[in-house]
């Protein structure tokens, strides 16, 4: 009997990872301000950030929440007043239950992309 995920000749089951990058209701994957990604439970794989100029000091946090605040932080990054010309990626690989919210206290000079489902 053939399963939906099975490659018959090799007799293996292949599971592909698939993630969203555009927030629900959004139009772009690269964000630079507070953004609700998803309400309800899910999984966040990673966040990639960069800037093309000197950033304004502040923080960027991913929250298990549906609004900005200091609770349920999944990840937080202290933005220094330097340029992040080389993108950096942080692998979080963690579930959330309330929602996924990106909370920026820096100005719109650092852009980030979140992979989630």
């Amino acid at each position: 009997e053939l399963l939906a995920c099975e490659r018959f000749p090799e007799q293996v089951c292949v599971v592909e990872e698939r993630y969203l990058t555009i927030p629900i209701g959004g139009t772009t994957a690269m964000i630079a301000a507070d953004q609700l990604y998803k309400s309800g439970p899910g999984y966040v794989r990673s966040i990639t950030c960069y800037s093309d100029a000197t950033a304004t000091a502040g923080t960027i946090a991913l929250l298990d929440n549906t609004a900005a605040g200091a609770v349920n932080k999944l990840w937080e990054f202290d933005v220094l007043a330097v340029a992040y010309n080389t993108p950096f990626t942080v692998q979080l690989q963690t579930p959330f239950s309330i929602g996924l919210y990106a909370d920026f206290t820096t100005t719109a000079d650092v852009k980030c992309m979140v992979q989630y489902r």
Side-chain angles (χ1 to χ4, degrees), residues 2 6 8 23 53 63 69 86 98 112:
L2 188 63
E6 193 169 20
F8 185 71
L63 309 176
T86 302
I98 300 169
C112 297

Side-chain angles (χ1 to χ4, degrees), residues 33-46:
D34 287 12
Q35 180 70 57
L36 175 63
Y37 276 88
K38 180 181 180 183
S39 294
Y43 181 83
V44 59
R45 180 176 188 238
S46 65

Side-chain angles (χ1 to χ4, degrees), residues 58-80:
T59 60
I60 300 170
L62 289 179
L63 309 176
D64 184 355
N65 212 335
T66 56
V71 297
N72 304 331
K73 287 184 185 174
L74 301 170
W75 174 81
E76 184 175 41
F77 175 68
D78 289 325
V79 177
L80 303 176

Side-chain angles (χ1 to χ4, degrees), residues 2 11 13 15 21-22 30 50-51 53-54 56 65-66 77 79 83-84 93 98:
L2 188 63
Q11 296 184 354
C13 185
V15 178
T21 56
I22 297 176
M30 299 307 294
Y50 79 96
S51 67
T54 300
T56 302
N65 212 335
T66 56
F77 175 68
V79 177
Y84 297 91
Q93 300 187 28
I98 300 169

